Amino acid sequence: MTRSVPHLLLAMMLLTAAGGCRSGRAPFVAHLPPADNASSGKAASEISLAAYQQPPAGTTQQQSAVQQVTPTQIPQTPAPATPATQAVAPEVIDAEPLPELPPSPAKAPDVLEVIGSVRSYFPLVRQAEASRVVASGEQLAAWGAFDHKLDGYTNVQPMDYYENHWNKWGLKRDTMWGGQVGAGYRLGRGSFEPWYKERETNDLGEFSLSLVAPIGRDRAIDANRAELWRAQLETNRVEPFIRSQLIVSVRDGVQAYWEWVAAVESLRIAADVLQFGLDRAEYLQKQVEQGEKAEIDITDNRRIILSRQSKLTAAQQKATQAAVKLSLYLRDNSGQPVVVASDPSAAAGFPELATLDEAAFGADIQLAQANRPELAELAIVRRQLAVALRQASNETRVDIDAGVYVAQDIGAATKDNDKSQTELEATLMVSVPLQRRKAFGKVRQLRGKLAQVQAKTQYAADKIAAEVQLARAALTASRERVDQNTEGLRLAQRMQEAEQRLYEEGQSTLFNLNLREQQRAEAAGELVGSKRDFFAALAEYTAALGLDGADLESVYFGDPLAE
């Protein structure tokens, strides 16, 4: 009892200090594999970077603008000497068990599977691809202006002084050179009024041909041809539009994937940090029974465990939410979203990071401006407006058409014998618009639209250059942060291991050890947070260059930006 009061005062001071100094930052993402308890026989799990230290099987060093970098191997120090596999007695700590994680999938998706799913099944991409059908329908409809048209009429006059019937049927179509051709057949029999004698034909009827050709307006272009050419250009315009939607969707899907990977790694951190406290519980119980540690340490360790359980629950929530967001882009063969189980043991993790050669960025702006679909789409829009401007200018001209009509009756002649001769007619039709305000108004309107597209094209080119530079800066900075945070984790791990030894020797306190464990976990989280930022910036950079996902395998599993 002589030692209980000082110990109680010391515990109260430690609890107060721990409450005031505890970090308020939520843990970020890191690979924290559980310790090999069967082989080491130690109580505490080790936070390591093993998943980031070994390159994938089959990976080779390649001489390129980007080289693979492997973080320095971090030495491991034995943990406390309490077996982690033994259950903690209820009287030692009355804590809830670890929350059960979702079942592990047979194979966690990698980034290329997400890209393939986006390209094949993402609804916004399929919606954009459906514009091909729309444009094809518009083009087919424009061709309809040149369809053959059958028209005619039949007239019967059965009761009158003049009893007769006459029929006229013909086939005609507009031509690609602005005129119109036609062929017809006419049959008129019976007794006709003198003023309608033209309705009468020979016994077998009359065959005719007609031709109308533009001389002034509509010779080089007319409304039918302008609409057809615009529709043909629209068929070309939808391809850059589809590719633009594909680039954005692949970028968003890839970034959602890295967010999910980061959330799963964050869940791993929270689970391993919690395991530190659980493994320490029985060790503390034995130490208290031997008089080596104060009983208040058990209470404080229980508080630590409860706090870390809360953080694990929050990490599970974030991982589940990230998986749901990823399911918008990751779909099965029927196009249905697939929610991936956020199991740290099944997650693929981040691939090897790469250093970036500044020389590889030399021509990226020119590459982006040549590759981005926005500029190609604006170029086609400009051509469509040029066609519309030509048609508007065409409407300001004098409308002069020349026509030829040829007809021939066949069969037995009429009573007057006035239908058997070949009939030939030539026609000249003139229409002069005087004020032409409608046509001049369209010309002015379209010239203004062309000026708008020209300015928009210049802005789009400048914006593409800015996006490339912003993405490049983010990529470079995030890569530097990865190196800095790798060293920070190595130092935090050394400090935690040293503090662990001091605590076992009785030269430190549980408060200090808890602080070192939190610092180590935060350093691991910052490292993986910077890795997440690197790959998110890489997705932004590849999108800025105009890569639509068909050629990203070398970026993530080869030599990024090597070409």
Side-chain angles (χ1 to χ4, degrees):
M1 296 297 294
T2 57
R3 298 170 55 188
S4 61
V5 174
H7 285 175
L8 181 59
L9 293 176
L10 178 60
M12 293 176 64
M13 294 173 62
L14 290 176
L15 288 172
T16 303
C21 300
R22 188 169 53 218
S23 173
R25 299 175 62 185
F28 289 117
V29 184
H31 261 302
L32 298 178
D36 189 356
N37 296 322
S39 60
S40 65
K42 304 302 179 181
S45 300
E46 293 296 325
I47 304 177
S48 69
L49 292 176
Y52 303 126
Q53 293 166 351
Q54 299 298 328
T59 301
T60 59
Q61 285 289 85
Q62 301 185 19
Q63 298 298 328
S64 64
V66 182
Q67 299 176 349
Q68 302 293 337
V69 175
T70 303
T72 305
Q73 180 71 28
I74 300 178
Q76 302 294 321
T77 304
T82 301
T85 56
Q86 289 184 323
V88 181
E91 59 271 14
V92 176
I93 175 170
D94 184 16
E96 297 180 0
L98 285 172
E100 185 178 354
L101 297 177
S104 174
K107 179 180 179 297
D110 60 29
V111 65
L112 296 183
E113 292 179 40
V114 176
I115 293 174
S117 176
V118 169
R119 291 176 58 86
S120 301
Y121 305 111
F122 190 53
L124 293 184
V125 173
R126 298 176 73 175
Q127 175 188 352
E129 290 174 343
S131 60
R132 289 194 183 105
V133 181
V134 176
S136 177
E138 290 182 2
Q139 183 175 349
L140 182 61
W143 275 111
F146 303 96
D147 288 347
H148 291 83
K149 303 173 182 66
L150 177 65
D151 57 14
Y153 55 84
T154 296
N155 187 77
V156 179
Q157 191 172 332
M159 297 179 63
D160 195 357
Y161 179 81
Y162 300 98
E163 296 179 359
N164 57 68
H165 64 87
W166 51 284
N167 311 274
K168 183 176 181 180
W169 295 91
L171 191 67
K172 62 182 179 180
R173 68 180 295 267
D174 294 339
T175 65
M176 286 294 296
W177 39 267
Q180 186 182 78
V181 295
Y185 173 76
R186 188 166 62 87
L187 178 64
R189 291 180 178 177
S191 175
F192 290 89
E193 297 88 335
W195 51 89
Y196 284 147
K197 292 293 288 184
E198 75 276 2
R199 296 178 179 177
E200 187 178 15
T201 65
N202 284 356
D203 185 54
L204 296 181
E206 176 192 81
F207 290 92
S208 63
L209 294 174
S210 63
L211 171 66
V212 177
I215 297 176
R217 189 174 72 180
D218 294 342
R219 187 165 53 87
I221 188 174
D222 61 3
N224 291 341
R225 283 175 284 173
E227 178 61 22
L228 176 61
W229 295 339
R230 187 206 64 81
Q232 290 174 332
L233 288 172
E234 182 68 14
T235 304
N236 297 331
R237 188 195 67 82
V238 299
E239 295 304 324
F241 168 72
I242 294 171
R243 191 160 177 267
S244 178
Q245 182 62 62
L246 187 60
I247 290 172
V248 173
S249 300
V250 168
R251 179 200 64 189
D252 294 345
V254 168
Q255 290 180 339
Y257 174 78
W258 296 125
E259 285 291 338
W260 172 74
V261 171
V264 172
E265 296 303 319
S266 179
L267 182 59
R268 190 195 305 273
I269 292 176
D272 286 351
V273 172
L274 173 59
Q275 194 64 40
F276 281 162
L278 293 175
D279 292 341
R280 191 165 44 233
E282 187 169 341
Y283 166 79
L284 286 175
Q285 178 67 20
K286 292 181 179 179
Q287 292 292 305
V288 169
E289 291 175 355
Q290 296 173 6
E292 298 294 331
K293 300 293 183 182
E295 188 173 355
I296 195 64
D297 281 0
I298 296 178
T299 303
D300 193 21
N301 191 58
R302 179 187 175 188
R303 178 196 60 80
I304 292 171
I305 290 174
L306 292 175
S307 174
R308 294 178 182 179
Q309 282 181 327
S310 176
K311 291 181 179 179
L312 177 62
T313 301
Q316 282 183 320
Q317 176 188 354
K318 291 182 179 179
T320 302
Q321 290 174 335
V324 172
K325 183 177 180 181
L326 177 61
S327 69
L328 293 175
Y329 305 95
L330 183 63
R331 295 170 179 265
D332 59 20
N333 293 335
S334 64
Q336 295 301 313
V338 176
V339 180
V340 183
S342 300
D343 187 351
S345 64
F350 292 102
E352 284 292 312
L353 269 70
T355 54
L356 306 176
D357 187 355
E358 295 293 335
F361 295 134
D364 53 0
I365 293 179
Q366 292 79 2
L367 173 63
Q369 290 178 340
N371 200 36
R372 287 279 288 270
E374 294 95 318
L375 296 180
E377 183 177 359
L378 287 172
I380 296 175
V381 171
R382 187 165 56 248
R383 292 176 62 188
Q384 288 178 318
L385 290 175
V387 170
L389 180 59
R390 285 183 60 194
Q391 169 58 16
S393 300
N394 172 67
E395 293 178 358
T396 65
R397 298 172 182 159
V398 177
D399 187 7
I400 304 176
D401 294 333
V404 176
Y405 177 82
V406 180
Q408 177 65 59
D409 282 64
I410 61 176
T414 63
K415 179 178 60 175
D416 297 334
N417 194 23
D418 59 352
K419 303 293 184 180
S420 299
Q421 298 298 319
T422 300
E423 181 182 356
L424 175 63
E425 293 182 7
T427 306
L428 184 65
M429 296 165 283
V430 179
S431 176
V432 181
L434 298 179
Q435 294 174 298
R436 295 175 287 180
R437 287 180 294 186
K438 181 178 180 180
F440 285 133
K442 285 185 178 181
V443 170
R444 182 182 301 179
Q445 177 187 14
L446 290 167
R447 285 176 178 170
K449 288 185 177 180
L450 280 170
Q452 288 179 329
V453 172
Q454 183 65 31
K456 190 174 181 179
T457 301
Q458 180 181 355
Y459 175 73
D462 296 341
K463 184 180 179 183
I464 289 172
E467 289 176 354
V468 171
Q469 294 177 74
L470 290 172
R472 182 202 306 162
L475 190 64
T476 303
S478 60
R479 187 63 187 87
E480 293 176 358
R481 287 180 55 230
V482 169
D483 295 335
Q484 296 163 355
N485 290 331
T486 299
E487 178 65 14
L489 175 60
R490 187 184 69 84
L491 298 176
Q493 184 172 352
R494 290 183 59 186
M495 293 300 298
Q496 186 268 334
E497 292 166 351
E499 197 71 41
Q500 179 74 43
R501 290 191 293 270
L502 290 175
Y503 181 72
E504 293 174 2
E505 295 169 359
Q507 300 180 22
S508 182
T509 63
L510 181 58
F511 168 75
N512 291 335
L513 180 58
N514 175 54
L515 185 61
R516 294 301 184 187
E517 291 174 350
Q518 290 295 330
Q519 289 174 344
R520 181 175 176 177
E522 289 178 4
E526 290 175 358
L527 172 62
V528 179
S530 61
K531 287 175 179 284
R532 174 201 59 205
D533 294 343
F534 173 83
F535 283 104
L538 182 58
E540 196 72 44
Y541 183 70
T542 55
L545 292 180
L547 304 182
D548 59 8
D551 47 4
L552 291 182
E553 182 174 2
S554 62
V555 173
Y556 293 108
F557 298 106
D559 288 327
L561 314 180
E563 298 182 358

